[in-house]
Each structure stands twice: as structure tokens, then as C-alpha cells.
Amino acid sequence: MRGIGRPALAALAAIGRVALFAASLLGHLLRPPIYWRELGTQILQIGWFSLPVVGLTALFTGGALALQIYSGGARFNAEAVVPSIVAIGMVRELGPVLGGLMVAARVASSIAAELGTMKVTEQIDALTTLSTNPMKYLVVPRVLAATLTVPVLVGVGDAIGIMGGWLVGVTRLDFTSVTYLKNTVDFLEPWDIGSGLVKGAAFGFLIALMGCYHGMTSGRGAQGVGRATKSAVVTASVLILAANYLLTEVFFTS
């Protein structure tokens, strides 16, 4: 029983620490001041610089999805559904999830490494000495920036993914451009897009939360920073997949 009990208690303790960290973050998020310059810097770092990797991922995913759906649909003489399924699949599921995972790989690791290094070099202690709250100055701008920018990245990724499907459909699958775009628009509903953007906001919050938590609680030395970086990416990725299922369940039953 000890072999089972100790890991279970350790997992519960870790969940409790993350919950307390998130509660403290939300408390600081709702109270002024907000460091607008730091927020703008983080929006640039998290949003703009993540756009190329998210765009390329969405482009190739949309193209591959079109090929796979055409291959499966051909067995039932249903090739005409390719545009609508590519669009719905991208905006509801693949766009938010793949975009979130790519941002997690880039941003969660970066935040954890940066904050972990600041902790090791005692820069966070220096902020406290200067009467600057590290949670307010370091964590809040990053979480707020990720929550605001990841939905934008998801929206852009959705459009690029649909364009990737359109390119493959027109050049490889003998669709006409007008027919492909008409089928895409006719079967895509506003809530399909809205649900994906809501997922993007939730994923952005989780990505920055995990990066900040593991960075702020990093161990000393290079090994501590390395473990914090690895843990941030792993936990952010798992939470994205778990949150995706929960949000899909909510949207499906609503």
C-alpha cells in the first residue's frame, strides 16, 4: 500500500500547490496595477513570434486532413464532404489542440526556463527587495498575454488550415475553387469557430500557468531549471488534452 499511497499523496499535494498558485494568480489579476509595458512585451513574445510555427502546423495539417478524408470518403462515394469536414475539424478540434500544443512546446518551456533562471540568479529576490511583487510583475503579464493571444493564434491557424485543405483540394483532388469554398462556408457555423476560440483562451491560460508555476518553483542550479522546463511542457500538454475533452463534452451537451 505504501508504494501506491506515497505517489498518490504526492500527486494530491502537487495539485494543491498548483491550485493555490492559480488562486493567488487570479487574486493578483483582479487587482491593480497592471504592468502594461511588460504585458505588451509578452504579447509580442508569445503571440507574434509563435505565429510561424502555428501557421506551418495548421497548413500541413489541413492539407493532410483533406487527403485522408478524401481517401476515406471515396469508399462511400462521399468525396464532396471533404471541404466541410476539413473546416469543421480544423476550427473545432485540430486547430485549437495542435496550436495549443505547439505554443506549449515553445512558450511554456521558455517561461519556465526564464523564470527558473531568474530564481537561480536571485533576480526574483531582488524584485521583492525593491518592493515589487514578483507575481504581479512576472506572472500576471505572461498569463494575461497568453490568454489573450492564443485564441488569436488559433483563429489564424484555423484560416491557414482551411487554406491548406483548399490548396490540396484544388490542386490534387480535382475540386473547383468555387465549389470547395462554397461547401466550406455553407456547413461552417459561427459556434464552430467560437468554441475553438474559447478552447484557445483556456489553453493559453493553462500554458502560461504551468510555465510560470514550474519556473517560480524551480530547484536551484542548472538541473533544477532543466527539470522545471521539462515539467512545464509535459504538464501543459497533458492539461491541454484533458481540458480539450472537458470543453468538448460541455459544448456537446449544451
Side-chain angles (χ1 to χ4, degrees):
M1 294 298 293
R2 290 182 179 179
I4 299 175
R6 287 180 179 176
L9 290 176
L12 291 174
I15 292 172
R17 288 191 294 269
V18 173
L20 291 175
F21 185 86
S24 176
L25 164 66
L26 292 175
H28 287 289
L29 190 62
L30 297 174
R31 296 195 303 267
I34 294 177
Y35 294 93
W36 295 104
R37 184 173 181 178
E38 185 69 14
L39 175 61
T41 300
Q42 294 305 319
I43 288 175
L44 186 66
Q45 292 288 337
I46 296 172
W48 179 252
F49 293 145
S50 296
L51 185 58
V53 66
V54 172
L56 287 173
T57 301
L59 179 66
F60 292 118
T61 299
L65 187 62
L67 291 173
Q68 292 284 8
I69 294 171
Y70 185 87
S71 176
R75 303 175 188 178
F76 309 99
N77 295 320
E79 297 91 338
V81 302
V82 170
S84 56
I85 295 181
V86 168
I88 294 173
M90 283 300 303
V91 301
R92 290 184 68 96
E93 192 69 19
L94 292 177
V97 172
L98 292 179
L101 291 175
M102 296 306 296
V103 174
R106 181 185 178 276
V107 173
S109 58
S110 175
I111 291 176
E114 183 180 5
L115 297 185
T117 303
M118 292 180 70
K119 182 179 179 181
V120 169
T121 57
E122 299 182 349
Q123 295 181 54
I124 294 179
D125 295 334
L127 287 174
T128 304
T129 303
L130 295 172
S131 299
T132 301
N133 191 314
M135 181 73 75
K136 199 75 175 173
Y137 184 76
L138 297 175
V139 177
V140 169
R142 286 166 171 79
V143 173
L144 188 57
T147 305
L148 293 175
T149 57
V150 172
V152 178
L153 290 173
V154 168
V156 174
D158 291 343
I160 295 175
I162 292 173
M163 184 182 72
W166 169 79
L167 285 173
V168 171
V170 171
T171 60
R172 296 278 297 154
L173 306 179
D174 297 327
F175 282 91
T176 64
S177 180
V178 174
T179 301
Y180 192 99
L181 294 176
K182 184 177 185 303
N183 287 345
T184 298
V185 173
D186 288 345
F187 288 93
L188 198 61
E189 298 180 357
W191 180 237
D192 294 331
I193 301 172
S195 63
L197 298 182
V198 171
K199 286 183 178 182
F203 297 164
F205 177 83
L206 292 174
I207 290 167
L209 176 66
M210 288 298 98
C212 291
Y213 170 76
H214 288 288
M216 296 290 284
T217 59
S218 169
R220 297 290 181 179
Q223 289 185 343
V225 175
R227 282 194 295 269
T229 302
K230 177 182 66 177
S231 298
V233 175
V234 171
T235 54
S237 299
V238 172
L239 286 176
I240 284 172
L241 296 175
N244 177 64
Y245 172 77
L246 293 175
L247 290 172
T248 301
E249 185 75 24
V250 170
F251 298 149
F252 179 77
T253 57
S254 61

